[in-house]
Amino acid sequence: MLTALSIQDFVIVDRLRLEFEPGFTVLTGETGAGKSILVDALLLVLGARADPGMIRAGRDKADITAEFDVRNIVPAVATLEEMDLSGEDGECVVRRVIDGSGRSRAFINGRPATLGQLRDLGERLVDIHGQHEHQSLVQPREQRALLDAFAGAASVVAEVASAHRALVSARRALAEARTGGQALADERDRLSWQVQELQRAGFSQEEWDRLRADHLRLSNAAALIEGAEAGMEVLSEGDRAVLREVGALRVRLAHLAEHDPSLASVVGLLEPAEIQLKEAALELRQYRSRVDLDPERLQEVEARIGAVMSVSRKYRVAPEALPGVLDEARARLAALGDALDVEALQHEAARAERAWQSAASGLTSLRARTADILSQSVSAAMQDLAMAGGRFEVALEPLAEPSAHGAEQVEFLVAAHPGANPAPVARVASGGELARLSLAIRTVTSRVAPVPTLVFDEVDSGIGGGVAEVVGRLLRGLGRDRQVFCITHLPQVAATATHQWRVSKHAQGGVTLSSVETLDAGERVEELARMLGGVTITDTTRQHAREMLGSASGGDRKPEDPLRGVQSSPGEGS
């Protein structure tokens, strides 16, 4: 969920840090106070287009940071891992900085990110309703994903995608065999010759390591012999060999230690030193007996290295990579053996298509059943949201060609008024209608919707009275499972919130600034009274505000389901 939002020099906001809680939060305040600025800031930090006009007057940049707790948001965690931008302890920090030229820089968990990455991540963290931009429910792929999630069809969707990959591969192999048979035969001949050549070379990584070690030793044999003999001379074989000198010194000091025991420690140090020197001399003698000048062996090693280098240059790889080249050639040769059998490939393509059709047919049936349930449920919810007589439909349009997503395109249609023809959700004219429709869909599908934070703007456009109360109850219900924010002018909606924030603007040094404050119980009464009564607030208005708050909190003890008659999804109870 969204845990904090920090804004600096954005529109009419100077410096602002907001820390959020779970549940349903409303933002209220006078018109023009800057409530929508908070939504705009969130949109911007999640990848919306930047504009120099967003920077506060007199400042050179705007800086926005959003902090999220993603510990239980599997899609977001997976997206961060794919981007290699994971944070620590389940935290995700997203930042956007805009300069005066309109250029911007983006960061995810302190590391530079692209706007595309911001948008991909943002779609898994926040869903903003009521604006046509950044609206996931108008995207065809999101509509399809929502229907499939509501149907509990994850395993069937995965089966269809897997079958489609196999079908594409089989068709590609058949097409290559039909159109490029001679080319494939030529490639097979070339690979056969390469495999034979590499096998004759008989090269391995172990041999290469041994050849390099032997060459280094043989090419420096004279120096190695000379060094070994010099060491033997110094240690044990010379007139003033170290071993004899140390041995004599040890014996002498041992006699003297009889007169002064303090010398015993020196004798004790010389004894292991003498032993170490004897061992070193012995190893040098053995080493010298093994090392010899062997120009013939050196010539053999250099010839073998030359042959290996010749092959590696031919294939334009390092010698260490030659075994891998052989493995790849063998694998491709085996694949080509099957690729040239056109009849077998035809049978495989037909088998793959039957497998896809079987999987896709099962998905189509499941989608069709679920589409009816979702259509009826959302249509029922619309009746209480100032869209009486309106209806919602989930259309399944067959596709001409097999798809990784199934045999049909999923599209959400809506008729906002009685007698209107259903049209794609993306073309709904009224922002308020789109917001309320989104609210109805999200309420029905809240059990499976993966996005943890929902923001509703303009949700109360064109409604009031009892409808506003229904909207409030729906939002509060959503807030039990999701983090929900709503910008509202309606006291009926604001009264149902778990938390209330007041946005206001004031003049400071001749500049208009916006600020936000959390309201306690008493302050909520005053704010609701203002929303109810306008400029003049009376005791009667305050009493009405208290009653609205009390009624909303009482609803938690005995909730009324605003979606009466809504059916369960096919996946429930299974």
Side-chain angles (χ1 to χ4, degrees), residues 70 73-82 86 92 120-121 124-125 452:
V70 298
I73 310 173
V74 175
V77 171
T79 298
L80 288 168
E81 290 176 350
E82 290 172 7
S86 299
C92 176
D120 288 345
L121 178 62
R124 289 151 180 79
L125 293 173

Side-chain angles (χ1 to χ4, degrees), residues 10-14 16 28-38 56 489 501-517 527 530:
F10 181 71
V11 193
I12 60 172
V13 175
D14 177 15
L16 184 65
T28 61
E30 298 283 359
T31 299
K35 298 184 295 299
S36 293
I37 290 175
L38 300 179
R56 190 163 72 89
H489 293 281
W501 299 59
R502 179 168 57 206
V503 184
S504 57
K505 64 180 179 180
H506 60 279
Q508 179 177 314
V511 177
T512 300
L513 299 176
S514 181
S515 60
V516 182
E517 58 183 323
E527 176 65 4
R530 179 197 65 76

Side-chain angles (χ1 to χ4, degrees), residues 169-227:
S169 177
R171 285 181 170 179
R172 183 186 301 116
L174 177 59
E176 289 178 354
R178 283 172 170 169
T179 61
Q182 185 57 50
L184 292 175
D186 293 342
E187 184 182 3
R188 184 174 62 178
D189 291 342
R190 176 178 58 82
L191 288 170
S192 296
W193 182 83
Q194 288 181 355
V195 168
Q196 292 173 9
E197 181 181 45
L198 290 169
Q199 287 176 336
R200 284 196 304 269
F203 175 78
S204 68
Q205 181 63 49
E206 293 76 12
E207 182 196 12
W208 182 244
D209 293 338
R210 188 170 60 253
L211 283 172
R212 289 191 296 179
D214 288 350
H215 185 265
L216 184 63
R217 176 176 52 80
L218 291 168
S219 61
N220 291 279
L224 294 171
I225 291 171
E226 182 182 350

Side-chain angles (χ1 to χ4, degrees), residues 261-553:
S262 64
L263 287 173
S265 61
V266 178
V267 175
L269 292 172
L270 286 173
E271 287 176 348
E274 186 177 6
I275 293 172
Q276 295 270 358
L277 289 170
K278 286 180 179 178
E279 290 179 354
L282 178 60
E283 287 204 18
L284 270 177
R285 190 173 294 111
Q286 292 173 343
Y287 175 78
R288 173 61 187 88
S289 67
R290 294 194 305 269
V291 177
D292 201 358
L293 293 173
D294 191 349
E296 291 183 0
R297 175 55 182 160
L298 177 59
Q299 187 175 5
E300 290 176 2
V301 169
E302 289 179 339
R304 178 59 174 159
I305 289 176
V308 171
M309 293 299 295
S310 177
V311 176
S312 69
R313 283 193 296 270
K314 181 174 183 178
Y315 288 93
R316 297 181 179 179
V317 297
E320 295 87 343
L322 285 175
V325 173
L326 176 58
D327 291 340
E328 291 175 5
R330 284 171 172 163
R332 177 59 178 163
L333 191 59
L336 286 177
D338 297 332
L340 291 172
D341 189 343
V342 175
E343 185 176 353
L345 290 173
Q346 287 176 328
H347 288 301
E348 176 58 24
R351 187 206 63 77
E353 184 168 359
R354 288 193 299 272
W356 177 85
Q357 287 174 341
S358 175
S361 177
L363 180 58
T364 297
S365 298
L366 183 56
R367 281 173 172 170
R369 294 195 303 271
T370 306
D372 288 340
I373 294 172
L374 185 59
S375 298
Q376 294 171 21
S377 301
V378 175
S379 294
M382 290 169 61
Q383 308 312 305
D384 291 328
L385 293 174
M387 300 178 79
R391 68 184 188 278
F392 175 80
E393 294 182 6
V394 180
L396 303 179
E397 296 294 333
L399 295 172
E401 290 293 328
S403 157
H405 307 296
E408 57 278 327
Q409 175 180 312
V410 177
E411 187 170 29
F412 288 177
L413 308 177
V414 64
H417 310 287
N421 293 322
V425 169
R427 294 206 298 261
V428 171
S430 165
E433 289 172 344
L434 179 59
R436 294 196 300 279
L437 177 63
S438 299
L439 175 60
I441 294 172
R442 284 303 183 194
T443 303
V444 171
T445 61
S446 62
R447 181 178 57 83
V448 296
V451 180
T453 299
L454 307 177
V455 180
F456 291 90
D457 192 7
E458 300 181 6
V459 73
D460 54 12
S461 176
I463 64 171
V467 175
E469 292 182 15
V470 172
V471 169
R473 292 202 305 273
L474 287 173
L475 292 172
R476 190 178 182 97
L478 273 180
R480 296 189 183 100
D481 300 315
R482 298 284 186 272
Q483 184 185 40
V484 179
F485 296 93
C486 177
I487 294 175
T488 184
H489 293 281
L490 295 179
Q492 295 94 331
V493 174
T496 62
T498 313
H499 315 285
Q500 185 168 352
W501 299 59
R502 179 168 57 206
V503 184
S504 57
K505 64 180 179 180
H506 60 279
Q508 179 177 314
V511 177
T512 300
L513 299 176
S514 181
S515 60
V516 182
E517 58 183 323
T518 307
L519 303 183
D520 60 23
E523 291 167 334
R524 289 191 69 181
V525 170
E526 290 298 313
E527 176 65 4
L528 288 176
R530 179 197 65 76
M531 298 171 74
L532 284 164
V535 176
T536 303
I537 301 176
T538 65
D539 290 341
T540 302
T541 309
R542 291 188 178 92
Q543 181 59 33
H544 188 188
R546 292 189 190 95
E547 291 174 357
M548 292 178 70
L549 284 171
S551 176
S553 62

